[in-house]
Amino acid sequence: MSEVHGLIGPNSRNAWRVDGGVVTLARPHRAPHPVTVEALPQSVTTDLAATALIVVDMQNDFCSPDGWLASIGVDVTPARAPIPVIADLLPLLRAADVPVIWLNWGNRPDRANLPPGVLHVYDPDGTGGGIGAPLPGGRVLEQGSPSAAIVEGLEPADGDLHVAKYRMSGFQDTELDSVLRNLRVDTLLFAGVNADQCVLATLMDAANLGYDILLLEDAVATTSPAYCMDATLYNVRQCFGFTLTSHALQEALK
């Protein structure tokens, strides 16, 4: 048998090295990249070499004026506010080698993994107008359809990662935790919508799994009443991690 030389792993951050008959389990060394950021309730120093950005549900059905929420009378103007903020941050984070993960609601066409409780949230009267309902741009929140695509104004890059979710939390019934473990990250930056619903549910599960939590205040938004955002910021600072602005992060990245 010929000798094998190379790397075995899902990415360069988490790989074994094979040299002939010897397998080296020590992962590639990543030099720390600490930055100190103004945040609440305290300023934090985070290691960008062990940080990832999770962008939650910035997709047409939630954020586009031609999407599903807008079609049922929801004012999606607040949900669009994070678009330019996230767009400005992405190049800086990618330049710092921070992985970007797009966490979009994207259902199976047959909805076979969705229990009644999840379907009821979007179809409370049982008329079939929620998840999977037909729209001109495709079925509501269906994976692979224009409805579930990333909203115009945000552009994924070739090196970004995409994870589909099917609940308020992006960890339930998905591979998100496995992807993050393979990236060998400890700290998660959160952006997206809705801050008090899918962002918060995902963030809480992340905190419970042991990840460090940084919520980007101006890169999240909600179509809920203002007190829901107030409560979200309070609870993140009180119970789960820290909040900061995109401006503070940009200053730290400089």
Side-chain angles (χ1 to χ4, degrees), residues 22-238:
V22 177
V23 178
T24 300
L25 305 185
R27 270 57 168 183
H29 174 71
R30 291 179 56 79
H33 185 177
V35 296
T36 300
V37 188
E38 291 184 12
L40 291 173
Q42 299 153 291
S43 293
V44 295
T45 298
T46 186
D47 182 7
L48 292 182
T51 298
L53 171 69
I54 298 183
V55 184
V56 182
D57 287 349
M58 294 300 296
Q59 55 198 100
N60 287 328
D61 268 353
F62 291 130
C63 304
S64 171
D66 299 320
W68 169 56
L69 284 189
S71 76
I72 60 174
V74 176
D75 180 8
V76 297
T77 303
R80 298 183 58 77
I83 294 174
V85 179
I86 297 170
D88 286 344
L89 277 176
L90 288 175
L92 296 172
L93 291 172
R94 291 179 181 131
D97 200 25
V98 173
V100 176
I101 300 168
W102 300 91
L103 181 65
N104 278 19
W105 197 303
N107 299 294
R108 293 166 52 103
D110 59 12
R111 308 187 304 172
N113 63 326
L114 298 183
V118 172
L119 295 171
H120 173 264
V121 172
Y122 299 106
D123 183 20
D125 57 3
T127 58
I131 292 173
L135 287 175
R139 294 186 178 274
V140 172
L141 297 175
E142 185 171 290
Q143 186 173 11
S145 75
S147 297
I150 295 170
V151 68
E152 184 178 357
L154 293 175
E155 296 294 335
D158 289 341
D160 294 351
L161 296 165
H162 300 261
V163 176
K165 71 180 184 68
Y166 327 99
R167 304 285 195 279
M168 294 293 177
S169 172
F171 283 96
Q172 180 61 42
D173 200 23
T174 79
E175 68 273 21
L176 179 59
D177 188 48
S178 296
V179 169
L180 294 171
R181 301 294 180 189
N182 276 324
L183 289 170
R184 304 185 72 79
V185 300
D186 301 313
T187 302
L188 302 179
L189 289 160
F190 280 93
V193 295
N194 278 316
D196 56 319
Q197 297 173 6
C198 291
V199 175
L200 183 60
T202 305
L203 180 154
M204 291 171 63
D205 277 353
N208 290 332
L209 288 167
Y211 292 99
D212 306 327
I213 302 301
L214 298 176
L215 178 70
L216 291 160
E217 297 178 31
D218 52 344
V220 296
T222 183
T223 55
S224 304
Y227 62 79
C228 295
M229 177 64 85
D230 292 341
T232 297
L233 295 176
Y234 174 86
N235 282 320
V236 170
R237 296 166 187 160
Q238 179 71 19

